[in-house]
């Protein structure tokens, strides 16, 4: 009898630019614009940057001053963590529902990162 190789698969879900994407979803006027969540142009740090802002080198954990220097048309919005938590729960539920009938383990690591094993 042949042995069937067992392979372990791990799916890493990392929703890049999650906070910025939620802001663009909730406020259509921000869609397609360079957006930073957190901080401002004179103080604080960027928590998340939209893909449009990333084209100019704006990244998470960058100072607001440097982000604005890299992208003069950057729009800063304050974070809304309760909203991100709400959307994150909906996304996790989708993955949980997909995997609950298999022997898959679902492990949350943050609001925007999880693993399915």
């Amino acid at each position: 009898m042949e042995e069937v190789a067992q392979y372990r698969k791990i799916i890493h879900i990392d929703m890049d630019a999650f906070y910025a994407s939620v802001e663009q979803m909730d406020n259509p006027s921000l869609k397609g614009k360079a957006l930073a969540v957190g901080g401002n142009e004179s103080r604080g740090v960027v928590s998340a940057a939209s893909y449009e802002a990333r084209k100019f080198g704006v990244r998470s954990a960058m100072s607001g001053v440097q982000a604005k220097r890299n992208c003069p048309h950057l729009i800063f919005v304050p974070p809304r963590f309760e909203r991100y938590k709400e959307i994150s729960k909906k996304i996790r539920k989708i993955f949980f529902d997909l995997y609950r009938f298999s022997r898959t383990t679902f492990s949350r690591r943050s609001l925007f990162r999880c693993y399915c094993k």
Side-chain angles (χ1 to χ4, degrees), residues 20 24 29-37 48-58 67-68 70-77:
Q24 289 176 323
S29 70
L30 296 174
K31 284 185 180 179
K33 295 185 179 172
L35 175 71
V37 176
S50 67
Y51 292 110
E52 296 83 2
R54 289 167 181 252
K55 291 176 187 175
F56 293 89
V58 178
K68 192 68 172 183
N70 287 10
C71 183
H73 59 284
L74 185 65
I75 300 167
F76 287 90
V77 297

Side-chain angles (χ1 to χ4, degrees), residues 28-110:
S29 70
L30 296 174
K31 284 185 180 179
K33 295 185 179 172
L35 175 71
V37 176
N40 61 46
E41 59 191 79
S42 61
R43 184 178 170 97
V45 297
V46 173
S47 294
S50 67
Y51 292 110
E52 296 83 2
R54 289 167 181 252
K55 291 176 187 175
F56 293 89
V58 178
R59 301 279 183 265
S60 297
M62 177 180 278
S63 75
V65 172
Q66 182 63 51
K68 192 68 172 183
R69 212 177 288 141
N70 287 10
C71 183
H73 59 284
L74 185 65
I75 300 167
F76 287 90
V77 297
R80 298 181 303 143
F81 294 111
E82 285 304 312
R83 178 63 174 149
Y84 309 145
K85 188 175 179 180
E86 176 187 336
I87 298 298
S88 179
K89 282 182 182 179
K90 290 179 181 181
I91 293 167
R92 283 195 322 269
K93 184 178 181 329
I94 291 168
F95 285 107
F96 180 78
D97 288 347
L98 287 171
Y99 290 101
R100 79 175 146 166
F101 296 111
S102 67
R103 288 188 267 164
T104 302
T105 303
F106 185 81
S107 176
R108 178 180 151 218
R109 294 292 180 232
S110 70

Side-chain angles (χ1 to χ4, degrees), residues 10-26:
I10 298 174
I11 300 170
H12 175 227
I13 297 109
D14 187 349
M15 296 178 289
D16 209 18
F18 176 64
Y19 300 164
S21 296
V22 171
E23 295 301 333
Q24 289 176 323
M25 176 183 74
D26 286 356

